[in-house]
Each structure stands twice: as structure tokens, then as C-alpha cells.
């Protein structure tokens, strides 16, 4: 008798693909869905792990683009402190899909939040980008001018990118009770004041995240019909949880939900690909070897192994973009991606006072 499993390749069998191999010798873990050329304008957003991806894209010759570069007077060592060069725009970490959708809607004047600023000790903070100005803005006018510049850059990002890379990070978020505005961090942790009458915790379900991302994709393709999307799931566990579950259990829920949604979109749409950075770091055959002793931070060597799988499918193009048709939009001498020491993870601020 014959059956379908007799003709499957080695990577379909756990024994051949995993048990009999070192985690450092895994193959065929990722198969690309589409080509990424040196001329493609690449934008990134999401959790802190997306910054690693941007850094390696630049290092390997791909056209990662910064739509909101730092002003020339700002010292190079201060770029990441003020949110420049961390992602493709100065929005900081976008941890949830609802926050991503909200960012798009704000950029295209489809949503104006009720909470427009926080005031503390004579300084003004942007509730949706509380960490980009560590000491706040000097005036409300300065904050609003920065916001206009930022949203203009975000509009350009969504309209002009050829490839949009988004790393899904969290399901947990804090919302405004008034208009369901999603805050990137719990009010009061970095700026603002927490008020249980105004703020409510929400742990997004798979169904909610699916609907939010479907609306985002529809909206994005409306302004940029040919854009391709690459999804990843951050392997970094939660810093803290407000769910009343043990943080390890809460992390497991979050990653399972996000991985499920990412897989459903990747299997449904030919322009949405999934890169398994989560599995390459956090799956149990990896034996947690890529985590630092805190069992949360991914070591540099781990990121290098993960990205080596990506570049097997998308070979390094170092230098090729200079000869690409139409010219490149990033010059190597410019600040264009976060360095290893510049990785910004705003969620870690939840633990700063404990």
C-alpha cells in the first residue's frame, strides 16, 4: 500500500528534520513566498525584535528606508534615545495589531484620539509616543508640530513601501475608556497618570486581532495596491502581565494567539509571508540556547542564527542596491538602522521600578 507520507521530504518528519540534527544545523525551516529585490523599499514596525531585522537587512545590502530621519544637529549617539532610526518612522514600539491599525488611521485622518497630550511638571508628552522625547516637549505647539511631521512620514511609509515588515509582539494593552484608544504602554509607567476611571486593561483575542489585521491590510492595499507584507512573531516573552495569570502562562497565550493569526494570513494571501523567527528562538528543540540568562533577551548570536535562515532564501545583496534601477533611497553613510546597543524595548520600562 502507498500513502501520502511516503513521498514527503525530510523536513516534514520530526525525526529527520529535528531529532537527528543539531539546532544549529536545521534546514528548510523557511521558504520564501516572494522575491525581495535590492531596489525594494523596505519598512519595519512592531515590537523590539523588528529592530534586529532592520539592522541585518541594512548590513546585507537591502533597502531598509527611514522615512523620518534624525535632524542633522542631533548627535549620532542620541538618535535611538529620541526614537530616530529605530524603526522606519518615529512611532516607537508598536506592540499590538490594534495599535498598528490605529497608527494607519491617524496618519490618514480617519481617527483623531481624544487624549492628545499629557502635561507633567511644565512639559508635554505624546500619549501615543511617550518615550520618544525622554523629557517631554517644551510646549504643546512643539508637540503638535512633531506629531504633524511624524504622521506625514507615516503616510509616506505606507504609500511608498514595497515591503512592509511587521513583528507581532503582544496581545495585552491598555485602552482609553472614552474612545478605545490603544496606548503603547500603560499610562503612568513612562508618562501620564493612570486613572482606572479612564483606562482599562484588555487582552486581545485571536478573533479580534484577525479582524484588526484584516482591516489594516485592506486599508494599506487601498493606498498601496502592490505592497507585500512579511510577518514575524517576537520570541521575546512578556516583561510583565496584567492578566492575573503567571507571566509565563500569559506569554504562552500571547505568542500562541499571534502565531495563529500570522499563520492564517500567510496561508490565505500570496502577498503576505511569514518568517519563523519565533520558532527559531523559542521552540523547545532550541533548548533556550539563544536567550541571555534572564531568559528574555535574545543574544546577538541567536539573532545571527535566525537571520541566517532568512538570508538563505533572500541572499545578501551588499552593494547591489547602488546599481538598482531608479537608485536607492538609503545611503550607507547615513544613519539607517539600529545598532546592537541601540535596540529599544519600551515594554521593559514596566519593570524599571520593581
Amino acid at each position: 500500500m502507498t500513502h501520502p507520507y511516503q513521498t514527503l521530504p525530510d523536513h516534514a518528519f520530526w525525526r529527520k528534520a529535528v531529532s537527528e540534527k543539531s539546532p544549529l544545523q536545521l534546514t528548510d525551516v523557511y521558504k520564501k513566498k516572494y522575491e525581495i529585490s535590492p531596489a525594494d523599499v523596505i519598512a519595519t514596525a512592531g515590537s523590539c525584535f523588528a529592530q534586529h531585522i532592520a539592522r541585518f537587512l541594512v548590513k546585507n545590502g537591502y533597502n531598509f528606508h527611514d522615512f523620518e530621519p534624525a535632524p542633522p544637529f542631533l548627535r549620532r549617539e542620541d538618535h535611538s534615545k529620541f526614537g530616530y532610526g529605530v524603526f522606519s518612522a518615529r512611532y516607537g514600539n508598536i506592540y499590538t495589531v490594534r495599535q498598528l491599525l490605529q497608527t494607519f488611521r491617524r496618519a490618514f485622518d480617519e481617527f483623531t484620539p481624544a487624549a492628545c497630550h499629557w502635561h507633567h511638571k511644565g512639559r508635554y508628552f505624546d500619549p501615543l509616543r511617550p518615550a520618544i522625547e525622554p523629557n517631554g516637549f517644551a510646549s504643546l505647539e512643539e508637540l503638535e508640530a512633531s506629531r504633524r511631521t511624524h504622521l506625514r512620514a507615516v503616510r509616506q511609509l505606507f504609500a511608498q513601501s514595497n515591503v512592509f515588515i511587521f513583528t507581532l509582539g503582544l496581545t495585552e494593552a491598555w485602552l482609553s475608556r472614552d474612545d478605545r484608544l490603544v496606548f503603547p504602554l500603560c499610562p503612568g509607567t513612562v508618562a501620564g497618570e493612570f486613572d482606572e476611571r479612564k483606562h482599562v486593561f484588555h487582552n486581545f483575542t485571536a478573533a479580534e486581532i484577525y479582524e484588526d489585521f484584516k482591516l489594516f491590510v485592506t486599508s494599506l492595499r487601498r493606498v498601496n495596491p502592490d505592497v507585500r507584507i512579511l510577518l514575524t512573531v517576537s520570541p521575546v516573552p512578556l516583561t510583565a502581565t496584567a492578566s492575573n495569570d503567571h507571566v509565563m502562562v500569559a506569554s504562552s497565550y500571547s505568542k500562541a494567539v499571534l502565531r495563529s493569526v500570522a499563520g492564517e494570513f500567510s496561508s490565505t494571501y500570496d502577498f503576505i509571508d511569514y518568517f519563523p523567527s519565533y520558532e527559531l528562538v523559542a521552540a523547545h528543540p532550541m533548548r533556550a540556547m539563544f536567550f541571555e540568562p534572564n531568559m528574555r533577551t535574545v543574544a546577538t548570536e541567536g539573532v545571527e542564527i535566525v537571520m541566517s535562515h532568512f538570508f538563505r532564501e533572500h541572499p545578501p545583496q551588499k552593494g547591489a542596491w547602488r546599481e538598482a534601477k531608479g537608485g536607492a533611497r538609503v545611503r550607507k553613510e547615513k544613519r539607517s538602522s539600529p545598532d546592537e546597543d541601540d535596540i529599544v524595548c519600551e515594554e521593559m520600562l514596566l519593570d524599571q521600578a520593581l
Side-chain angles (χ1 to χ4, degrees), residues 76-108:
R76 163 67 182 82
E77 56 267 30
D78 290 332
H79 284 192
S80 62
K81 183 192 304 183
F82 289 88
Y84 289 106
V86 179
F87 296 102
S88 292
R90 199 183 177 207
Y91 31 58
N93 294 119
I94 297 179
Y95 287 113
T96 63
V97 172
R98 179 70 59 83
Q99 188 186 350
L100 173 66
L101 175 61
Q102 174 180 279
T103 301
F104 181 95
R105 295 182 63 202
R106 290 176 60 234
F108 287 91

Side-chain angles (χ1 to χ4, degrees), residues 83-271:
Y84 289 106
V86 179
F87 296 102
S88 292
R90 199 183 177 207
Y91 31 58
N93 294 119
I94 297 179
Y95 287 113
T96 63
V97 172
R98 179 70 59 83
Q99 188 186 350
L100 173 66
L101 175 61
Q102 174 180 279
T103 301
F104 181 95
R105 295 182 63 202
R106 290 176 60 234
F108 287 91
D109 297 321
E110 298 174 3
F111 174 57
T112 301
C116 59
H117 70 273
W118 287 330
H119 185 249
H120 181 67
K121 294 183 178 180
R123 306 292 290 185
Y124 294 84
F125 294 83
D126 188 337
L128 301 181
R129 300 185 299 155
I132 63 160
E133 290 286 338
N135 299 314
F137 293 92
S139 67
L140 184 56
E141 291 75 19
E142 183 181 325
L143 185 157
E144 291 175 343
S146 172
R147 180 181 291 152
R148 286 192 297 270
T149 298
H150 168 64
L151 293 179
R152 182 168 58 249
V154 174
R155 284 195 300 272
Q156 294 173 345
L157 182 158
F158 285 132
Q160 298 176 14
S161 298
N162 302 117
V163 178
F164 178 65
I165 301 176
F166 183 65
T167 298
L168 298 100
L170 300 176
T171 57
E172 297 187 13
W174 288 89
L175 282 59
S176 167
R177 292 185 185 272
D178 292 335
D179 56 4
R180 309 303 287 179
L181 172 71
V182 180
F183 298 101
L185 293 170
C186 179
T189 55
V190 175
E193 295 181 359
F194 178 77
D195 186 340
E196 64 180 8
R197 296 169 300 179
K198 298 179 180 179
H199 308 130
V200 60
F201 172 76
H202 187 72
N203 201 1
F204 288 102
T205 65
E208 289 175 317
I209 296 170
Y210 179 88
E211 290 302 322
D212 283 345
F213 196 70
K214 184 177 181 180
L215 181 54
F216 168 75
V217 171
T218 301
S219 301
L220 177 60
R221 298 278 285 189
R222 184 181 69 242
V223 301
N224 190 349
D226 297 322
V227 68
R228 286 156 285 153
I229 298 172
L230 179 67
L231 293 176
T232 66
V233 173
S234 171
V236 180
L238 277 67
T239 294
T241 179
S243 67
N244 291 325
D245 290 327
H246 188 286
V247 67
M248 184 172 65
V249 176
S251 291
S252 179
Y253 168 84
S254 179
K255 303 306 178 181
V257 166
L258 296 174
R259 178 62 184 90
S260 173
V261 173
E264 188 161 358
F265 275 93
S266 178
S267 63
T268 302
Y269 298 95
D270 59 3
F271 60 88

